[in-house]
Amino acid sequence: MAIKGARSPFDRLRQHYEETMLRCPECGFVDEDGTWNATADRGELRYRHVCPRCDAVDTRVLSY
Ligand SMILES: [Zn+2]
């Protein structure tokens, strides 16, 4: 990769999620300091985020 600072698609996708999808689907709280816990498993990315306000677990699965 010639692009300075380029990271893997996994990292870019993770960053995208962290920036845009930290709003809790249950209470609407935006966890600005939160992170998605991402794991890769045989062609799927599994994202998990726990709301610090109401403890709702938000899980998303992406295929790539
Ligand atoms: Zn919540």
Side-chain angles (χ1 to χ4, degrees):
M1 285 282 206
I3 302 173
K4 183 179 181 183
R7 296 187 297 176
S8 71
F10 182 88
D11 284 341
R12 281 190 279 115
L13 198 58
R14 178 191 171 106
Q15 183 179 43
H16 174 74
Y17 266 66
E18 289 178 354
E19 289 175 351
T20 63
M21 300 183 72
L22 287 168
R23 179 185 298 276
C24 175
E26 296 295 327
C27 70
F29 178 73
V30 178
D31 183 13
E32 293 183 350
D33 294 325
T35 58
W36 285 85
N37 186 359
T39 57
D41 180 26
R42 286 181 297 188
E44 287 184 341
L45 286 176
R46 296 171 182 272
Y47 286 87
R48 191 167 175 275
H49 172 253
V50 180
C51 176
R53 179 192 270 181
C54 72
D55 289 334
V57 178
D58 190 8
T59 303
R60 293 162 203 267
V61 178
L62 294 181
S63 297
Y64 64 87

